[in-house]
Amino acid sequence: MLPARRLWAVVCAVVLPIAPAAAQGWIEHPRGAIEKVRSAVQVTVGGRVARVTVEEWFRNGGALLDEASYLYPLPGEAVFSDFSLWQGDRELRGEPMDAAQARAIYEEIVRRKRDPALIELAGHGLVRARVFPIGPGETRKITLRYTQILDRVGDAWRFRYTAGTGPGAAASSTFRMQVDSAARFGDPYSPTHRLNTSRSGERIELTLADASTRGDLELFLPLARNLVGMSLVMSQPIGEDGFFMLLLAPGRAEIPSMHRDLVAVLDVSGSMSGDKLDQAKTALVQLLGTLRSGDRFRVVTFGSGVRRYAAGWTDVSPDNMPAAQEWVRRLDTDGGTNIAGALTEAFAEPPAEGRLGVVVFLTDGMATVGETDPERIADQAERGRGPFRVLAFGIGYDVNTYLLDRLTERARGVTEYIRPGGDIEQVVGSLAAKVASPVLTDLAVRADGVELYDLQPRSLPDLFGGDELVVLGRYRGAGSGERSVTVTGRRNGREERFSTGARFGSEQPGGDYIQQLWAARKAGALSSDIRLHGPNPEIVSELKRLALRYGILTDYTSYLVQEPGVVAQRLEEVRRMAPRDQAGAGAVEQSQRARKLASSYSLDAVVVAAAPAADSLGAVTRERAGRSRRVGGRLFAWRDSTWTDIAHGDSLRVVRVMAFSDAYFALLRALPELAQPATLEPAVLVAGRRVSIKIEAGGRTDWASGELPKLVSDFR
């Protein structure tokens, strides 16, 4: 019998080079009925080094003894530490040895049906894990440990973990990261997952906010700066203009705040009587309480008429503030709703030079007094707004969503809707806390020698303390070499500049999420345009193209997951829908869904946003994990035993290629963007511009002269 120490073997303690597209995570190629059922990842970050422990549980759901074989690509600059196989609670640790010797020992033990495990290099930085035997109904656990150097991206460190695309990708998983020296970092940010973050002393602990979330994890740890830190990440698809994500994170150090000129505008019409007005008054008192010495304020109320607390601006002082708050507490209801008059009064006194001017506007109804046409009210407000930012709050379902969204559309502001019975104090208080510490206003971004375009959001919002601003966009004309990216903004009347270096021309791994987030934000912006300005055919066409290419489903594109014949019917609905329905629960829902996409902070926000009547979409939403996949920046739906790109249409010619044939490998060399979709089994259909390609068990096995270049041209 072999010595116990040789019942398992590993090849380890090697710094592994990695292909550009690789990252962490099990990429599975299991045999028989073995599947991954659970995964737990524990990461400890000290200095710039991450120590990663991955635990995987595999179950044999078949009736026969079987072997598990998995490929695991390690990140660049990773040092493989050790590998363990578990027998119940007993951990059997691997030891390094010659690869040929380790493989021979493994295979000898397999023949005896004992308990070995083998890890070996499989080329291109891949590690292959093989575990035998796993009996029918049995679950086995393995543990993998490695150390990696975190990438530096501008003023942040970046960590990646790839969950894999095989049958076990939907397995239960947990993730936990502990970061030492917490004072060195701002608030962690993930563009792919929502995080729970807690700080305790010198430690930050991170977990996933939703344990059921699947997919690759990308996580940034912004380095603390005195004012603003910048991080820039690019994604350069083959044959296309590039995509970028810019993260702006204010430093955690105390920053002298900009002074604010705040106008609080409160609806006191008859419909606000009772609990709504009581909550609104309490929220307004709290809002005034966030002002500091050096700030100024005005208070405007409106019912049938318009009242103001005082003529002109009132300075914040120990005497002035209590008097103003008491005036608010004594407010009572007053007839109709004079929105136009209230806005005229709100904008009557412009903010002083160098100050942040903010109008907070609360209403629960539609205009009934004075000018009542929403279009004319919005146009008049836009002409008179000046430099004010507008934050609007719609209370209940009777508000005119068209008017409120128009008020904030160009005003670097936002509209929040509070459902009937909702907590007005909490919503207003949350936004008031955000604007309490303005850092930079009037932001703009440029890159030397590179054209940045199609930025989302289109008008960059102001940057506040304790917040992160994520800007996504496209770029062209990058060339090669490092370029300087500069963000400018204004602070207390002076221009501030912040710069970082970036290599635009080179592909960076794991950037599909950048394309998807950009597409989601643009889809939200286009949906808002349709709601606010009507269904311009060019905008509808652009939204349709965007949704098909990137798998972003909206109210106006819910037909994308239905049969082709439904398209014309849904487009007719689009033509009728906007901007006719301006009030009511449906209008509020539409506005909120469009804003959620337009302000997508992570991929968790990029969800199917279907109209309630779209039954087929409801089914897709409920079965999303099993019926659709996001791979390589595309959305695939399971149709007729094939993973089908939702951008595929019946009018596109289909070229069928046999998987793993000579034609298949030549195709992937010519179209590298197909490498990720090609992992979908048993068959995948990928849509191009003028042709779709299906990879399956049948199909062609070679190419005639000139065929492949023509296919590449038609696909791209």
Side-chain angles (χ1 to χ4, degrees), residues 226-512:
N226 288 333
L227 189 58
V228 176
M230 292 175 57
S231 301
L232 191 71
V233 186
M234 279 79 66
S235 175
Q236 178 70 67
I238 298 171
E240 296 184 47
D241 288 348
F243 298 79
F244 71 88
M245 181 184 77
L246 174 66
L247 172 65
L248 297 176
R252 296 185 63 82
E254 282 296 321
I255 305 168
S257 179
M258 295 174 57
H259 293 314
R260 292 166 294 171
D261 281 351
L262 182 140
V263 185
V265 185
L266 177 61
D267 183 347
V268 293
S269 61
S271 59
M272 283 285 291
S273 62
D275 186 57
K276 279 197 292 188
L277 184 59
D278 291 340
Q279 279 197 52
K281 290 193 296 185
T282 301
L284 189 51
V285 167
Q286 293 175 349
L287 176 65
L288 294 174
T290 66
L291 299 176
R292 295 180 294 270
S293 177
D295 293 338
R296 303 186 303 175
F297 68 91
R298 300 178 64 227
V299 181
V300 176
T301 66
F302 66 99
S304 295
V306 177
R307 295 177 60 198
R308 60 188 182 188
Y309 168 68
W313 292 100
T314 301
D315 293 326
V316 172
S317 71
D319 294 329
N320 291 338
M321 188 56 66
Q325 291 173 322
E326 183 58 30
W327 186 83
V328 170
R329 292 188 184 98
R330 293 198 304 267
L331 290 172
D332 203 352
T333 54
D334 174 30
T337 308
N338 188 356
I339 291 178
L343 290 172
T344 298
E345 179 61 34
F347 300 143
E349 297 282 346
E353 177 67 25
R355 290 173 173 263
L356 176 65
V358 179
V359 172
V360 178
F361 187 87
L362 293 90
T363 183
D364 78 331
M366 294 182 283
T368 60
V369 176
E371 179 60 70
T372 59
D373 181 80
E375 187 73 42
R376 286 197 287 269
I377 295 175
D379 287 343
Q380 179 182 332
E382 183 61 27
R383 290 194 299 270
R385 177 175 58 83
F388 277 111
R389 275 64 173 157
V390 179
L391 309 177
F393 295 86
I395 304 169
Y397 290 144
D398 293 331
V399 293
N400 190 301
T401 61
Y402 170 76
L403 174 58
L404 295 188
D405 290 346
R406 277 286 308 273
L407 284 177
T408 60
E409 179 191 17
R410 298 184 181 89
R412 296 180 189 256
V414 66
T415 302
E416 292 281 356
Y417 292 99
I418 305 166
R419 298 170 186 268
D423 190 334
I424 301 173
E425 298 173 46
Q426 189 276 327
V427 176
V428 177
S430 176
L431 206 56
K434 173 181 175 178
V435 301
S437 302
V439 176
L440 286 175
T441 65
D442 303 297
L443 294 175
V445 58
R446 64 176 179 81
D448 294 339
V450 179
E451 180 188 356
L452 305 182
Y453 69 98
D454 227 335
L455 270 62
Q456 303 296 332
R458 288 174 287 196
S459 296
L460 299 190
D462 302 317
L463 183 62
F464 297 93
D467 195 15
E468 287 87 31
L469 176 58
V470 179
V471 180
L472 295 117
R474 305 293 305 272
Y475 68 85
R476 64 167 65 100
S480 60
E482 186 166 279
R483 305 285 180 169
S484 177
V485 179
T486 301
V487 171
T488 60
R490 298 195 65 79
R491 178 173 175 77
N492 294 326
R494 299 187 305 273
E495 183 178 86
E496 302 272 5
R497 289 173 166 265
F498 305 90
S499 297
T500 189
R503 291 187 174 274
F504 281 93
S506 58
E507 168 67 9
Q508 298 192 23
D512 287 345

Side-chain angles (χ1 to χ4, degrees), residues 554-567:
T554 74
D555 286 326
Y556 303 103
T557 55
S558 60
Y559 61 85
L560 295 175
V561 296
Q562 302 179 44
E563 294 303 317
V566 183
V567 172

Side-chain angles (χ1 to χ4, degrees), residues 469-715:
L469 176 58
V470 179
V471 180
L472 295 117
R474 305 293 305 272
Y475 68 85
R476 64 167 65 100
S480 60
E482 186 166 279
R483 305 285 180 169
S484 177
V485 179
T486 301
V487 171
T488 60
R490 298 195 65 79
R491 178 173 175 77
N492 294 326
R494 299 187 305 273
E495 183 178 86
E496 302 272 5
R497 289 173 166 265
F498 305 90
S499 297
T500 189
R503 291 187 174 274
F504 281 93
S506 58
E507 168 67 9
Q508 298 192 23
D512 287 345
Y513 68 86
I514 300 175
Q515 303 172 36
Q516 293 167 15
L517 282 175
W518 171 85
R521 286 193 173 191
K522 183 161 185 177
L526 292 174
S527 295
S528 293
D529 285 345
I530 292 172
R531 288 188 62 253
L532 296 178
H533 307 296
N536 180 298
E538 292 182 358
I539 296 179
V540 172
S541 177
E542 185 176 5
L543 178 58
K544 175 184 174 182
R545 180 195 61 79
L546 189 77
L548 282 168
R549 171 61 182 85
Y550 296 100
I552 307 300
L553 305 183
T554 74
D555 286 326
Y556 303 103
T557 55
S558 60
Y559 61 85
L560 295 175
V561 296
Q562 302 179 44
E563 294 303 317
V566 183
V567 172
Q569 172 190 342
R570 289 292 293 149
L571 284 177
E572 285 303 319
E573 291 178 16
V574 169
R575 295 188 181 100
R576 294 196 304 268
M577 284 169 65
R580 178 177 58 86
D581 299 324
Q582 299 182 2
V588 170
E589 291 280 356
Q590 281 188 337
S591 177
Q592 289 178 318
R593 282 196 294 267
R595 188 170 68 84
K596 183 177 181 181
L597 279 178
S599 60
S600 301
Y601 194 68
S602 78
L603 284 180
D604 282 355
V606 185
V607 297
V608 176
D615 295 336
S616 62
L617 266 187
V620 168
T621 304
R622 290 190 295 272
E623 301 177 18
R624 183 179 177 86
R627 306 296 296 173
S628 63
R629 293 280 190 275
R630 283 193 183 276
V631 178
R634 298 170 181 264
L635 182 64
F636 294 86
W638 180 249
R639 294 176 182 164
D640 299 326
S641 301
T642 298
W643 290 108
T644 303
D645 188 339
I646 67 166
H648 172 71
D650 292 341
S651 62
L652 287 177
R653 177 172 62 95
V654 177
V655 174
R656 291 171 169 81
V657 179
M658 178 181 288
F660 308 113
S661 66
D662 290 343
Y664 166 86
F665 289 112
L667 176 68
L668 295 193
R669 285 193 296 271
L671 291 171
E673 59 265 43
L674 295 182
Q676 288 181 286
T679 63
L680 293 174
E681 295 180 337
V684 62
L685 181 63
V686 187
R689 288 186 180 273
R690 293 180 294 276
V691 66
S692 292
I693 298 173
K694 186 175 184 181
I695 300 172
E696 57 184 348
R700 65 188 312 144
T701 58
D702 54 29
W703 302 102
S705 177
E707 278 189 312
L708 186 55
K710 176 66 164 58
L711 177 63
V712 170
S713 175
D714 289 345
F715 185 84

